[in-house]
Every structure is written in C-alpha cells, then in structure tokens.
Amino acid sequence: MSAPNAAYTQLCSLLRDAAHLGAVSSLISWDQETYMPPSGASGRADQSSILAGIVHERQTSPKIAELLAACEQDADLTKPGSATAANLREIRRDYELATKLPKELVEELAKAGSMAQQVWKEAREKSDFALFAPHLERMFLLTRRKAECLGVPRGGELYDALIDEYEPNTPAAEIEKVFTPLRARLSELLKRVQADGNPPSEKPLLLKFEPEVQHALGLFVLEKMGFDLKAGRLDTTTHPFCSGMGPGDVRLTTRYRGEKWTDALYGTLHEMGHGLYEQGLPKDSHFGEPLGASVSLGIHESQSRMWENFVGRGKPFWKWLIPHARKILGKRIDRYDVKDYFFAANTARPSLIRVEADEATYNLHVMLRFEIERGLLRGDIKVRDVPAEWNRRVKEFLGLDVPDDRRGCLQDVHWSFGLIGYFPTYTLGNLYAAQMWEKINKDLPDLTKDIGKGKFGALKAWLNTNIHAHGRRYSAAELCKRATGSELSSEPLLRHLSAKIKTVYGV
Ligand code: ZN
C-alpha cells in the first residue's frame, strides 16, 4: 500500500462536509413533511433555499476542482478497476453536473419547490388544480432552465438531461423503447384477467384496525426483516417516503388512511426496502463519497419493490405474518386464512392511485406520467391541459374515469418538488427487482422456506453483498450484470406477473 494521498484525503473530507450539510437539508424537509406546523412553511422555504445554496457552493468550490485534478494525475489512485478510480470518476461527474447549475437557479428551485409543495398539499385536499397550476407552471419553467444548463446530450432531448440525475445514461427514447412493448404485454395480461379471470375477494384487506396497532405491526415487521431501528425511525406523512440522512439515520414514513389496512403495511415494506439499501451503504467509511451513495433511483426502487412485492405479496410471507399479526392486531385476523390474504394481496385491478396500485397495473401509472411530463417539457402539453391529458390516459391505459383531480393529476408530490424525469425509475426498479429475484432464488434455494419461518437474513445478506456494499462503484447497468449475470430485460418481470396471475386468477 502506498501512503495515503493527501489531496485524496482532503477531497473526501470536503465532500463529507458537504454531505453533512445535505443531511441537515434532508432533515428539515423531513420535518416539514412530518411535524412542522403549517405556519412554518414560508420560513422553512427560506431555510431550504439558503441551505441548498450553501451545499451547492461547497460542492462546486474551486478547491474541489483543484484537488480532483491533482488526484486524477495520480497513477495509484486511477488504477483501472480500483475503488479509488471509480470514486474519482463519479466525483468528476458530480462536479461537472453541479457546476453547470448557477447558484441562483438552485436556490430558486429549492424555494419555489418548497412553496409549491405546500400549495400542492392544499390543492390536493381540495381537489383544486387551478390553485396548483401556477406553481406547476413555475416548476416546469425552472426545471426546463435546469435541463438547458445541464445540456442536452447529442441527439437527445431536454428530458434526457433531467433523468440523467436519477438514472444516469438512460435517455427518454430508450425508456420509450422498453415501455411501449411492456405496455402492450401488460394490457394483454390485464385483458385476459378481466375477461376470464376468477377475481379473488379483497375483503381480507378491508378489515378495520386502529392506526396505533397498525404502527406496532409495521415496527414488528421492520425489526424482523433486519431494519435497524436504532439507526432509523418510522413516522406518518401524506406521501410515504424514505430519507437516508447521515450515517446511522434513515427515516421512513407511511400512512394509515388507506382504504385497506395493507396499504400502510405495504407502504412500510416498500420504504423499508429503500431504508435497508441506505443502511447497507458503506457510509461509515465513505459517507459523502460516491462509494458510500446509492447508484441510481432505479436500483433504489428495485430494493423497495423486492420487499414490498416479491417478499411481501408472496404466500410464505403471509404464512409467517398471520400468527404475529393476530397478537398485534387481534383475533379478527382469523376470519381469513393464508390463502385468502395471499389471493387478496395479489388482485390485479385497475385503480386510480399509483401508490396503492397492484403489481400488474402499477407500471401503467408510471407510463402515463412519463408521457405527460415529457410532453410538458417538449411543450406539446400545456399545464392547463394536464387534468384532461391525465384523465384521457387513465381511460385509455386503465379503462377508468377519474372522478376528481385529487385522485387524478394531483395525487403525487413529485412535480411540486421539481422531480421531473423521476417516474420512469419506478418501472426500471420493478424490472431490476424481478431480475434480481430470479437470481436470488437460484443462489438461495431455501428462500421460500426461510421466509415462511420469518428468516430474512440470507436475503438481506445477498442484497448487502451484491448491491448495497458497492455504492456507485459500478453503473446501474454494470451492477445488474454483475449481480444477476445478464443485462436488464423485461422478461423476468413478465414471467413473474404471468405466473402470479395464473395462480391467483387461473388464467
Ligand atoms: Zn420507492
């Protein structure tokens, strides 16, 4: 081992400081979503904006450029295939991206986003799109400016510059190429279900339980699955999320107001999947460096989908859960058996709300958002037409009429935050999860039995070793290939859904 390079050590230390400030920024936005009184909104918007500016200033300081350039001259650090080379490659990428954005724009986006999010909450409650429209207009205007600053890749479009932040090197045209045939196959599957399927009863999911006992069940499941509650929390919000802050601090949220009691359970499982990824990243040694960060949102989402759908909607999971649920939720749970819960949790029925959609229809929700936000950026769709464009696609993709904007285009928080180009990562996550699941079951032949006994350790360890531990050392595509042995394909997901539908619907 050569002596540690002073420039490299200093570079990592500067990045760690910036990441700690970023964690403070995450913390105040978590607080805004959970406990902040409504009148704090305007002050909080200023705080978010000031912090975003400071973080950005740190990330783009000339000192970073200087140290990075020095490190890039060091043959030891840049040895092909080494961890330090990967770290430097990604630090360079982050720096280039961050310096393309003027500080004023970063601050403006943070401030406008904070306000828009507050208005979105009210608009959603009142189902009043007109109230939200000017804010949405502003967020798209600022985001378009952001995309222009970041630069459109050759032969690409504005959307590509935005998605690159969430899912590097995945242009919109390529997403469209995956989505279009997937949509056709999913629609075909849905049609078969609706025409000839024998629909299971959803009654087991409609049992009523108080939020307190549901919360207790959530915490029980988190602990058994290996989420470290000494390094994380579970709270309630309008829109469930997971926020990984500094080392040892991962915040999960869920909500207990869903139509079905399992909405909260699956929401918790979903966010826990994100949380396990955050807890599994090597933050103790690499916080602030790319090696200590998640690789892409698609991979992040694969982790949440895995626990929510591949584990949580499986029969072994229900076999394990029911005796414990009886102790926590009460004897009412005995009205139904394992098969009833398993069938009920796997209905494939078009619905209006994305976060409560089933596995088979979920991706159709994503595809309609992808089309609308892409159209808004291109200018093909005007903000005032969003409700009509939304409702038309819900009818076309899912066969449903949207009764109000609360259950239509106002349901998601993303656009108010300026998260545009983000939705496709959900479907990419489903595709990655399905492909990993096939490989995991080959590597761990006892997995089904283990889950039935509440043993989740081997699964978590597989994910820790093959996915979490690498941070951003490999690209998402490379990581997928290393972990599963092949490039990303939509076949595993289609196989999974077809098999599920055959079991549950008999078609
Ligand atoms: Zn998620």
Side-chain angles (χ1 to χ4, degrees), residues 270-271 274 301 304 426:
H270 179 99
E271 301 310 333
H274 286 303
E301 192 66 8
S304 56
Y426 289 133

Side-chain angles (χ1 to χ4, degrees), residues 471-489:
R472 288 166 62 190
R473 179 155 186 181
Y474 310 106
S475 71
E478 274 176 281
L479 185 68
C480 170
K481 203 159 175 216
R482 289 177 65 96
T484 69
S486 39
E487 274 163 27
L488 182 65
S489 145

Side-chain angles (χ1 to χ4, degrees), residues 353-365:
I353 307 292
R354 176 184 59 83
V355 293
E356 290 164 10
D358 58 71
E359 271 185 283
T361 56
Y362 187 89
N363 299 297
L364 298 167
H365 289 266

